[in-house]
Amino acid sequence: MQPDTQKMVSMGIITAPHGVRGQMKVKIFCERAQDLTAYGSLSLEDGTALTLQIKGFNKGLAICSAASVSDRNAAEALKGSALYLERDKLPECDEGEIYQADLLGMQVCSSDGTLLGEVIGLHDFGAGEIVEIQLPERDKTEMLPYYPPFLKQVDIKARQIILDVQDAQEPEKDHEGETHK
């Protein structure tokens, strides 16, 4: 039975096998690495349950094992598989906190109420969090700053994020004075 990924949180992704005994390299999406294994079995997209054990770390990736993965070929077959946890197994957030997964699908509006798009991803490339939005009625995405002073409000109940993006979206001028967006 396939898990309902709308009610699941992606906890990580298997990036590659490690060694010949079925261990796997896992990119962890949790704030703390130990959270990957703290809430029980994880599910693959096909519904297969995996109970992982973290064996160590290498180059920012967790080295994990699972009893059902006994050799390199089995680990290789899982390469690229997302690891999901049921959302209701996670603890409640503290006041003012939200799981990034809960932001997915929220509407993003400008300070003046204009719909900018819908959240499809969050990224941090080192200079602050970026929200990736799907533009309305277009097959394009845009990345916008998701931190103060641009981030004005996150309304969980209304499923809406307000960003003041005027400064972030100012057209750029090239060295010849031409405007580009």
Side-chain angles (χ1 to χ4, degrees):
M1 183 167 113
Q2 289 190 325
D4 180 358
T5 55
Q6 296 295 324
K7 295 179 182 176
M8 306 292 271
V9 175
S10 179
M11 301 291 281
I13 188 166
I14 299 170
T15 62
H18 179 79
V20 295
R21 294 192 177 125
Q23 292 183 345
M24 304 158 277
K25 295 179 183 177
V26 176
K27 181 176 182 178
I28 298 176
F29 300 151
C30 310
E31 187 173 11
R32 298 175 316 164
Q34 66 266 29
D35 287 346
L36 181 68
T37 58
Y39 307 108
S41 294
L42 301 172
S43 297
L44 301 176
E45 287 182 19
D46 68 2
T48 302
L50 284 181
T51 302
L52 298 181
Q53 291 182 321
I54 298 175
K55 299 296 188 179
F57 296 91
N58 186 4
K59 298 182 181 177
L61 299 173
I63 307 302
C64 297
S65 66
S68 60
V69 183
S70 59
D71 62 35
R72 184 176 182 87
N73 290 338
E76 181 72 40
L78 295 173
K79 182 178 177 181
S81 296
L83 298 164
Y84 294 99
L85 180 70
E86 293 172 28
R87 172 67 179 84
D88 60 4
K89 286 186 178 180
L90 292 171
E92 291 299 316
C93 293
D94 290 335
E95 183 68 32
E97 293 183 340
I98 186 171
Y99 286 112
Q100 286 187 353
D102 293 337
L103 298 173
L104 298 176
M106 279 190 173
Q107 287 189 337
V108 178
C109 295
S110 65
S111 296
D112 66 7
T114 303
L115 176 64
L116 300 174
E118 182 178 300
V119 177
I120 60 169
L122 289 134
H123 311 282
D124 191 339
F125 302 113
E129 283 193 283
I130 302 294
V131 63
E132 183 175 7
I133 63 170
Q134 177 71 50
L135 300 176
E137 300 177 22
R138 293 172 62 188
D139 199 23
K140 282 181 65 175
T141 65
E142 190 166 331
M143 294 193 183
L144 300 170
Y146 183 73
Y147 52 86
F150 305 104
L151 177 62
K152 297 299 182 187
Q153 180 181 6
V154 177
D155 186 335
I156 297 167
K157 288 184 177 146
R159 301 216 20 90
Q160 186 177 67
I161 298 169
I162 307 294
L163 294 175
D164 185 5
V165 292
Q166 284 182 314
D167 293 336
Q169 292 185 317
E170 286 297 315
E172 297 177 21
K173 293 191 178 199
D174 63 17
H175 66 279
E176 297 171 359
E178 292 189 32
T179 301
H180 302 277
K181 188 136 176 134

